[in-house]
C-alpha cells in the first residue's frame, strides 16, 4: 500500500485522558507521522494550556480535536476500530502486536474512517470499551515494566501506521551513480599493482591478500566518484609515471 | 536473534539535552522496552526533579545514568555507534531507516557495548558528533513536520531495538568481530598520515579529502582483522620506520 490519504482516515481516540500534557504530546506525535484526526472522550480541563505547550507546532491538531462524551460517539461513522490494551482480556480475542495490527488498520481505512483507541493513563480501557472495538492491539513491552507513557504509545502506533500506509517497498535509489564492473576491475588492478610495488604483496607468495582486500572493498558499494578518489590516492603511493591499465 | 542480553549492551546517549523532563521521559521509554544504560553528555541541571517525575517507575534508570563531558567519553569502550539524524548530512553516508538500522545495531551488540546517540532537542547532533558514529539513522517522519519529541524518538528506537533483539527472524550476527571505535580512529589517523606523506593530501588545502575517504570506509563495517590488513598495507606505502600512533 502506498496511499497518503489512508493516514487522513485514521482517528486517534483518547478515552478519558487524565493529563492535558499527554493530550498535547499525543497531538504532536500524530502530526510527526502525518495523522491529524484527534478525538477526545471526556478530556480533562486545561486551564493553563499545558496541552498547547506540549503540542508544540501540532497546535492545529489539538485545536481541531473532536470532543465527545462517550466512546460510542467517537467511533461514529467508522468502519473499523482497534483498541490498545496492555493485557489479555477475558472474552476478547488475543491482542495482536502493533506491527501486525498496523497493516490491518491501514487496509480497513481504504473503505472509510477507522479508529485506534487509547485508554486512561492509569486504568487503560474498560472491558466495555474494548468490546466496542474489533481488534485488541498490544505494544510488546518489557513484562517487568510495560507502562508506556500515553503519548509515547501514540507515537509508536502512529509510526507503525505511517510505515504500513506508505510501505516504502523497494529501497530508494542511491544518490550517486555506482561504479561499473569495468571501473571496479580497473581499481582492483591498480590496487594490486600498488601493493606489489610497495612489497605488501609478494607475487611469488600472494597468499589470500587480494581476495581479502576484495572482500573488504566489495562491501562498500563503490560509487564512480569514489573509484576516482581511490585511484588518485593509489597513484601517489607509486613512483611517478607508473603505468597502470 | 533472540537474546535479551543484547538490550543490556545498548547505550542510549543523549547529547546536550535541554529539558530535564525529556531526560526523565527517555529513561521511562527505555525501561518499557527493557533497556537501562542511559548516558548523558552535558545534561541540564534539574533542581526541581522534573526528570524524576517524568521517569515515573524508571527512576532507577535515571539514577544510574552515566554523566559525561563529551560524546567521545560516552562512546568509550563501544564497538559500534549510530547517530539519530533528521536530515541527510553532507559527506555522511545516507541515513538508514530506523527499521533497517535496529537489527544492525542489535547484531553489533553481540560483540560488545554499542551506542545510539540522540542530539539536542532544537539543534540535533553536530556534524562532528555524527562523524564519531558509524551509522546515521532516521525515523521516517512526515516531511511537513518531522519534529519528534526527544523522548518519543527514544521510545520508537527502543521499540525497534527490542523487536530486533528478540526477533528470532532477524539476521544473525556477523561471524567476525567488528573493529572498535578506537581501532577505527587509529586507522583513519594512519590513512591520513599516509596520504599526507604521499602528497595526495595537502595539509594547507585539505579540501574534503578525509571526509570523503571516511564516508567510503565507514560503509564497509570494518572488522578487526581488516583494520590490521589495511594498516599493514598503509605501512608499506610509507618510508620504513614512519611513526604512526
Amino acid at each position: 500500500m502506498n496511499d497518503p490519504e489512508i493516514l487522513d482516515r485514521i482517528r486517534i481516540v483518547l478515552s478519558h485522558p487524565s493529563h492535558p500534557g499527554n493530550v498535547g504530546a499525543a497531538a504532536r506525535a500524530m502530526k510527526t507521522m502525518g495523522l491529524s484526526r484527534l478525538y477526545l472522550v471526556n478530556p480533562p480541563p486545561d486551564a493553563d494550556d499545558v496541552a498547547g505547550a506540549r503540542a508544540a507546532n501540532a497546535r492545529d491538531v489539538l485545536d481541531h480535536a473532536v470532543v465527545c462524551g462517550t466512546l460510542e460517539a467517537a467511533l461514529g461513522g467508522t468502519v473499523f476500530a482497534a483498541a490498545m490494551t496492555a493485557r489479555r482480556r477475558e472474552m476478547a480475542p488475543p491482542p495482536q502486536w502493533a506491527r501486525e495490527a498496523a497493516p490491518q488498520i491501514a487496509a480497513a481505512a481504504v473503505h472509510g474512517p477507522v479508529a485506534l483507541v487509547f485508554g486512561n493513563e492509569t486504568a487503560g480501557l474498560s472491558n466495555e470499551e474494548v468490546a466496542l472495538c474489533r481488534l485488541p492491539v498490544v505494544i510488546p513491552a518489557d513484562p517487568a515494566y510495560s507502562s508506556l507513557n500515553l503519548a509515547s504509545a501514540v507515537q509508536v502506533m502512529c509510526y507503525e501506521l505511517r510505515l504500513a500506509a506508505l510501505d516504502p517497498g523497494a529501497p530508494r535509489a542511491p544518490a550517486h551513480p555506482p561504479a561499473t564492473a569495468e571501473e571496479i576491475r580497473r581499481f582492483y588492478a591498480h590496487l594490486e599493482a600498488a601493493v606489489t610495488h610497495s612489497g605488501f604483496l609478494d607475487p611469488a607468495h600472494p597468499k589470500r591478500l587480494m581476495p581479502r582486500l576484495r572482500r573488504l572493498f566489495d562491501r562498500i558499494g563503490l560509487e564512480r566518484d569514489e573509484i576516482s578518489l581511490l585511484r588518485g590516492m593509489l597513484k601517489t603511493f607509486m613512483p611517478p609515471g607508473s603505468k597502470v591499465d
Side-chain angles (χ1 to χ4, degrees), chain A:
Chain A
M1 190 181 312
N2 190 348
D3 183 358
E5 289 189 13
I6 290 294
L7 297 175
D8 204 43
R9 295 205 201 98
I10 302 176
R11 296 179 191 173
I12 298 296
V13 181
L14 306 185
S15 181
H16 299 79
S18 297
H19 302 297
N22 283 337
V23 176
R28 177 174 175 181
M30 290 169 61
K31 188 168 176 177
T32 63
M33 295 294 145
L35 284 82
S36 60
R37 310 283 176 197
L38 176 61
Y39 282 64
L40 302 172
V41 179
N42 195 17
D46 182 20
D48 298 328
D49 201 23
V50 175
R54 290 281 298 281
N57 285 318
R59 182 70 203 224
D60 54 329
V61 172
L62 201 57
D63 288 344
H64 291 101
V66 178
V67 177
C68 306
T70 62
L71 180 55
E72 286 89 337
L75 299 183
T78 60
V79 298
F80 185 87
M84 298 305 301
T85 170
R87 58 182 197 278
R88 176 77 197 262
R89 309 281 183 143
E90 225 183 316
M91 305 311 298
Q96 291 214 7
W97 278 22
R99 184 148 300 170
E100 298 158 359
Q104 295 178 52
I105 297 168
V110 170
H111 305 290
V114 303
L116 179 57
V117 185
F118 295 75
N120 171 266
E121 290 90 335
T122 308
L125 291 169
S126 68
N127 285 335
E128 292 70 29
E129 287 177 309
V130 173
L132 290 172
C133 302
R134 294 253 290 281
L135 182 71
V137 181
V138 68
I139 294 173
D142 188 345
Y145 181 60
S146 59
S147 169
L148 270 75
N149 165 266
L150 174 57
S152 292
V154 171
Q155 184 75 66
V156 168
M157 290 309 303
C158 289
Y159 165 74
E160 285 286 5
L161 289 167
R162 180 173 184 80
L163 288 185
L166 304 181
D167 186 354
R172 287 158 298 166
H176 305 279
T180 65
E182 175 61 16
E183 286 163 340
I184 288 174
R185 192 194 63 71
R186 286 186 185 171
F187 162 67
Y188 283 126
H190 199 153
L191 180 64
E192 184 163 356
V195 292
T196 304
H197 171 267
S198 77
F200 190 54
L201 176 71
D202 176 359
H205 302 92
K207 297 181 188 166
R208 302 203 35 80
L209 205 59
M210 286 310 297
R212 286 181 70 200
L213 285 169
R214 290 186 69 119
R215 174 175 172 275
L216 182 162
F217 282 100
D218 275 348
R219 296 213 298 283
I220 304 181
L222 282 166
E223 298 162 2
R224 177 165 298 175
D225 288 350
E226 291 176 331
I227 292 277
S228 306
L229 178 71
L230 288 173
R231 293 193 62 181
M233 178 179 75
L234 288 176
K235 211 175 277 181
T236 67
F237 289 150
M238 300 174 74
S242 300
K243 274 274 179 230
V244 182
D245 207 342

